[in-house]
Amino acid sequence: ASPRRVGGLFVHVSDMMERWKHLRSALACGRKAEEVGWHWFGDSPDLWRNYHRGQADAARLIAPGVAGVARLPKGARRLLDLGGSHGVFSVEFCRRNESLSAEVYDFDAARPVAEETIRAEGMEGRVAFSRGDCLTDPIGSGYDAVVMASLLRIIPADRVPGLIAKVRESLVPGGLAVVVDHLGHRPGSKLLRLNTDLILLELFNALA
């Protein structure tokens, strides 16, 4: 019940290790094996739930810090949590900004965990889930802020500019785009560098 619990993250890592059986093939080919990638999750509700709950545990550790330093426009009322998965960032921003409501935008597989988070935090009236593919579907407009947490790193590089342009168009004048990721800095310790390298290797294995 701890707010800093990470049990869900370890459950997802356990699932992930099954996919690492294909790592040698991915490294040898310079690309993922045929059965590796997002379709590895298939239609399995358990794998998807474990993934989103694991991401939620990780997000709870950093969401207060992110929401604490991100300066939303004065009087901000609408936030889009793009690829928002579990909804943790939406909840944290709304908790800190009384006039704000948020939309968690992601594939439908994220809905159960997002709605679980929303209910648990008593945010049913202010945070809602919206289904869509941010690369191919409209994402709406008139947002005061758009949050992209752990999203850009899994988008093919040639499609990132188009997504950024779409986000820019969705914002009101003076709106804020918040990019949250951990791969753009230099870790300050051997442990953090190792952790970053492992995450990069997992992303390569899953998405290369």
Side-chain angles (χ1 to χ4, degrees):
S2 167
R4 300 180 66 84
R5 63 189 179 275
V6 292
L9 185 58
F10 280 93
V11 172
H12 166 58
V13 168
S14 179
D15 290 341
M16 184 183 74
M17 293 306 294
E18 286 296 310
R19 189 165 57 194
W20 276 50
K21 293 177 180 178
H22 306 287
L23 179 60
R24 182 182 296 273
S25 174
L27 290 171
C29 299
R31 59 179 175 79
K32 63 180 180 291
E34 187 63 31
E35 64 270 37
V36 180
W38 287 117
H39 59 284
W40 176 80
F41 287 92
D43 296 320
S44 170
D46 289 339
L47 287 177
W48 278 115
R49 182 169 54 250
N50 291 346
Y51 168 75
H52 289 295
R53 283 180 174 169
Q55 297 303 307
D57 281 0
R60 287 189 188 95
L61 301 179
I62 63 172
V66 171
V69 299
R71 298 182 179 179
L72 301 191
K74 186 176 181 179
R77 301 184 64 83
R78 298 183 66 209
L79 179 143
L80 176 64
D81 192 355
L82 198 60
S85 179
H86 37 71
V88 169
F89 284 96
S90 289
V91 165
E92 188 62 36
F93 272 97
C94 284
R95 181 181 288 125
R96 291 169 178 265
N97 299 271
E98 293 183 358
S99 64
L100 193 68
S101 64
E103 177 183 342
V104 182
Y105 186 103
D106 210 325
F107 295 121
D108 207 44
R111 184 188 298 272
V113 173
E115 293 183 343
E116 178 182 282
T117 300
I118 294 166
R119 287 193 302 270
E121 299 293 341
M123 287 282 181
E124 292 96 328
R126 297 178 60 193
V127 181
F129 182 88
S130 179
R131 175 186 180 278
D133 181 337
C134 65
L135 294 180
T136 59
D137 298 331
I139 62 173
S141 60
Y143 298 108
D144 296 287
V146 176
V147 175
M148 292 172 281
S150 301
L151 175 64
L152 295 185
R153 62 182 179 179
I154 63 173
I155 302 295
D158 61 344
R159 305 197 69 177
V160 169
L163 178 61
I164 295 298
K166 183 184 288 190
V167 168
R168 182 177 182 178
E169 292 171 1
S170 76
L171 288 165
V172 299
L176 179 69
V178 181
V179 177
V180 184
D181 225 315
H182 64 281
L183 302 180
H185 75 294
R186 296 182 179 180
S189 71
K190 290 182 178 180
L191 177 60
L192 289 175
R193 285 195 293 273
L194 175 62
N195 183 61
T196 298
D197 288 343
L198 284 172
I199 292 173
L200 284 168
L201 189 60
E202 158 58 13
L203 289 172
F204 172 81
N205 190 47
L207 303 168

